[in-house]
Amino acid sequence: MIRENSLQRLERNVAPHLRRGWSRAVFAAPQAADNADNAAAATRAEQVHPGPGVGVTPSPEQLAAVFAAARDAANAGLVKHTYVLDEQRRVQVDARHGRPSLRTLDEAAARKVMGGKQRPLRPDTSGELLRAIGIMNADGSISATHARKYKQVNHLAELCRPTWERLAAARPRDAAAPIRVLDLACGNAYLSFVLAEVLRREGVALRLHGVDIRDDVVARSRERAASLGMDNLSFAVASIAEASTAALAALAGPPDLIVALHACDTASDEAIALAIRLGAPALLCVPCCQHELAAQLAHQSPASAPVPALLEHGLLRGAYADLLTDALRVELLAACGYEVAVVEFVASEHTAKNVLLRAHRRHPHAPVDRSRWRLAAIAERCAQLGVSPTLLRLLQAD
């Protein structure tokens, strides 16, 4: 139990800071944000209580309610209290001694959080988005646990910059015309929300539609978009094969950019094939879980490989299949009129799923001409290697 005089001191010292309202009060266990390994643990380690709002004078009842909640939290071991006044200011107090300190997220503090660099998602201007995707804590801090993820998300946003800048430059003279984005197998749609926030900060109009076959992630994405006021984002339950017709209606036109982040195994091939068939001017694809060619190569004679050991050892065969899968995707995109860059978007020591295929159609406004696709040479090469990639089959079927 916290001593009564400490709790009285907390109320007496904090109350003057709350005279002009507050956004939320956060009660947490010491170091809870750093020690929480998942969302469930974080929920157990903190409580969040909405305030009357920024700039709203609280009633006596509202003050009494928040301090009653503070007392209960402190006696339950949640002694780290933060009263978020607005996006830049917060009052922090340890309930065990009741002495508050006012923290301001000024430029110096923001740059410290950003590691001394300017980043697309700043803690002082994109805090709501960072909290929504689980990087920033409710009290406005970014814990050591999430600092690496914060850097990775910003790095990915910068890798996407050449794509959206190129698309923005090619828009009609009407600057209000949005960039239309289709996010395939969107999952939790973190990239969608990051793109939406970055383009909002840059003043570039966006219309985005995400599809996934899972009801729960689509519902969660819809809720997140509504909570963030991002009415330019929509989500639907659909497979990649079903996506194009619904997307044309949702986006009010064909997509300028197709995104597929961690679409598993041949789902990446379906996404790439759809982008090619629609003649999408740009594609961002992060493949993962490359199983298809590994299974095919397992039945090949080692003598058929460039180096027999590539097929004799399972570990080497898996790595070879991964590289071959993405190399053939690059070749097929190029054969269908795309310029492709292969980019490492997360250092390999953090994840093996670190290849970003960034593609731009060489003639973005020309109609799709399948007669100009140069698939024959790639098909012959695949036959020599003893593999039959899904992407090649999908394009040949067209």
Side-chain angles (χ1 to χ4, degrees), residues 33 70 84 107 119 139 156-157 166 191 203 226 288 322:
V84 180
E107 181 64 23
R119 300 191 185 274
D139 63 6
L156 180 57
R166 185 169 176 171
L191 180 56
C288 78
D322 284 356

Side-chain angles (χ1 to χ4, degrees), residues 153-178:
V153 166
N154 277 283
H155 181 55
L156 180 57
E158 284 297 343
L159 292 178
C160 297
R161 181 180 292 276
T163 297
W164 64 256
E165 284 186 341
R166 185 169 176 171
L167 292 172
R171 285 185 301 169
R173 291 184 178 180
D174 178 9

Side-chain angles (χ1 to χ4, degrees), residues 46-60:
E46 72 175 16
Q47 298 176 5
V48 181
H49 297 266
V54 178
V56 178
T57 301
S59 66

Side-chain angles (χ1 to χ4, degrees), residues 306-374:
V307 178
L310 286 172
L311 298 185
E312 290 174 338
H313 302 275
L315 187 61
L316 295 177
R317 185 170 60 246
Y320 173 46
D322 284 356
L323 290 173
L324 183 59
T325 299
D326 285 334
L328 289 172
R329 287 167 174 159
V330 170
E331 292 283 312
L332 287 165
L333 277 163
C336 295
Y338 283 80
E339 301 170 354
V340 188
V342 181
V343 184
E344 182 184 62
F345 79 94
V346 176
S348 56
E349 64 265 24
H350 299 313
T351 176
K353 304 171 184 178
N354 66 338
V355 172
L356 168 66
L357 304 182
R358 191 170 60 197
H360 293 271
R361 195 163 177 242
R362 284 193 287 271
H363 304 289
H365 302 299
V368 177
D369 185 357
R370 291 170 173 78
S371 68
R372 297 176 67 88
W373 293 356
R374 303 186 305 277

